[in-house]
Amino acid sequence: MASPDQDLAPVLDKDGVRLTVDDALATVTLANPAKRNAQSPALWRALAEAGRLLPGSVRVVVLRGEGKSFSAGLDRQMFTPEGIPGEPTFIDLARRDDAGLDATIAEYQEAFTWWRRNDLVSIAAVQGHAVGAGFQLALACDLRVVADDVQFAMRETSLGLVPDLTGTHPLVGLVGYARALEMCVTGRFVGAEEAVGSGLANIAVPAGELDGAVRDLAAALLAAPRDAVVETKALLRGAQGRDYESQRAAERAAQARRLRDLAGIGE
C-alpha cells in the first residue's frame, strides 16, 4: 500500500509507528512491513503516544499499515519462553498478582482506546491480514475501509487466550453477539464481502484503490462542520447505553446547544 503521507515530516516515528499531520488530517502508519506489522508492547506504547501528540487541529485520523498486511497480530516472539527483550514474558505476566496484571493489560489497552474520542473520527484502511491484535486495532477505529484481499480473524481463543485489547465491545456492537461468538471461538477468516455484509466494514474496494477511497471518505468527513460532527458522534456512541426516551432527551439537548451556537447565543 503506497504511503499517502510520504512527503510530510513525521511528528512521531518509533517502534514501528509513524504519525504525520496535515492540518485537520492525521495519518498513523504501522511501519514494519517486513514483520507484517506485528504488534508488541513497544508498538502499543508508541500508538498511545501518537494519540497524545495529536494537535487540536486534527479532526480525522487514518490508520494504515505498510506492505501487504495491515497487521498479522502479536509478534510471535512474545509466545517464546524468552519473549521480547526488555518486555515481560507471558510467564512473567502470569506470576503477577491480580492488580499488577490488570494494570499491565490496561496499559496495553491504551493504544486501542483513543481512536473513539468524540473530537475525532478515525478510519482504518485495512488490506491483507488483520489478525488478533490487528483485528482489534481495526475495530478500535470508528470506520473501516477494506481492500478486497482483507482477511480478518480473531485468533486469541484458539491460542487459549481471550481478546483483551478492547475488541470485544465494538465487535458485538457491529455484528451481534452470536456472530461475534462464532468468529472469536472458531478463529476463522472473514473476507471483504462478509465484512461489508455483516457491518464490520463500511466499504470494500480493490487493493489499488484503497488509498483513494480513504482519502475520499476523509474529505467527506472534513466537509461537515466540526462541532456538529462532535455532537453527532457523541449521540451515536451513547445510544446503545440509553433507552429510547433517554436518547430523545439527549437529541434535544444536543440540538439546543447547536442552535444556540449557530445563533451566537450563550447557554
Side-chain angles (χ1 to χ4, degrees):
M1 182 178 176
S3 175
D5 57 342
Q6 57 189 356
D7 296 327
L8 298 171
V11 176
L12 176 74
D13 194 354
K14 63 189 291 189
D15 297 319
V17 174
R18 184 171 64 248
L19 167 66
T20 58
V21 177
D22 185 5
D23 192 22
L25 177 65
T27 302
V28 176
T29 302
L30 306 179
N32 190 3
K35 294 192 73 171
R36 296 196 298 164
N37 299 315
Q39 297 185 33
S40 66
L43 179 139
W44 295 333
R45 288 190 291 270
L47 283 175
E49 184 177 352
R52 293 191 295 269
L53 288 174
L54 290 179
S57 62
V58 172
R59 297 179 53 193
V60 173
V61 182
V62 172
L63 170 64
R64 54 183 299 280
E66 286 187 348
K68 294 182 178 180
S69 292
F70 174 76
S71 174
L74 293 179
D75 188 324
R76 286 292 176 178
Q77 197 169 347
M78 294 179 69
F79 294 94
T80 63
E82 62 274 12
I84 296 175
E87 304 289 354
T89 66
F90 282 169
I91 294 175
D92 294 331
L93 292 174
R95 287 174 175 162
R96 295 183 179 181
D97 60 22
D98 288 349
L101 183 53
D102 183 80
T104 300
I105 297 173
E107 179 186 350
Y108 295 163
Q109 289 175 331
E110 290 179 9
F112 298 76
T113 57
W114 60 266
W115 307 89
R116 289 181 177 268
R117 282 168 31 187
N118 286 341
D119 61 323
L120 304 170
V121 178
S122 53
I123 309 168
V126 189
Q127 81 285 356
H129 290 94
V131 177
F135 191 2
Q136 293 188 76
L137 188 55
L139 286 166
C141 292
D142 296 308
L143 309 172
R144 278 151 297 282
V145 178
V146 302
D148 55 9
D149 67 348
V150 74
Q151 292 286 302
F152 289 112
M154 199 73 82
R155 289 295 176 83
E156 286 81 354
T157 308
S158 304
L159 297 170
L161 303 169
V162 300
D164 66 338
L165 297 172
T166 79
T168 57
H169 188 277
L171 182 62
V172 171
L174 289 166
V175 306
Y177 160 75
R179 192 185 294 260
L181 176 64
E182 179 260 329
M183 286 180 181
C184 289
V185 173
T186 66
R188 69 177 177 85
F189 285 111
V190 177
E193 183 177 357
E194 182 181 356
V196 174
S198 66
L200 270 178
N202 294 79
I203 186 174
V205 297
E209 298 176 14
L210 184 58
D211 281 343
V214 171
R215 282 195 297 269
D216 289 345
L217 177 56
L221 295 169
L222 290 170
R226 179 170 196 164
D227 290 343
V229 173
V230 171
E231 290 278 13
T232 300
K233 181 174 177 179
L235 267 177
L236 295 173
R237 285 193 65 207
Q240 285 186 315
R242 303 188 188 104
D243 61 24
Y244 179 71
E245 292 302 325
S246 297
Q247 185 69 5
R248 286 180 62 205
E251 290 175 0
R252 295 194 298 272
Q255 193 70 300
R257 288 191 293 271
R258 296 305 312 126
L259 289 170
R260 289 184 179 124
D261 184 64
L262 291 172
I265 301 172
E267 294 191 31

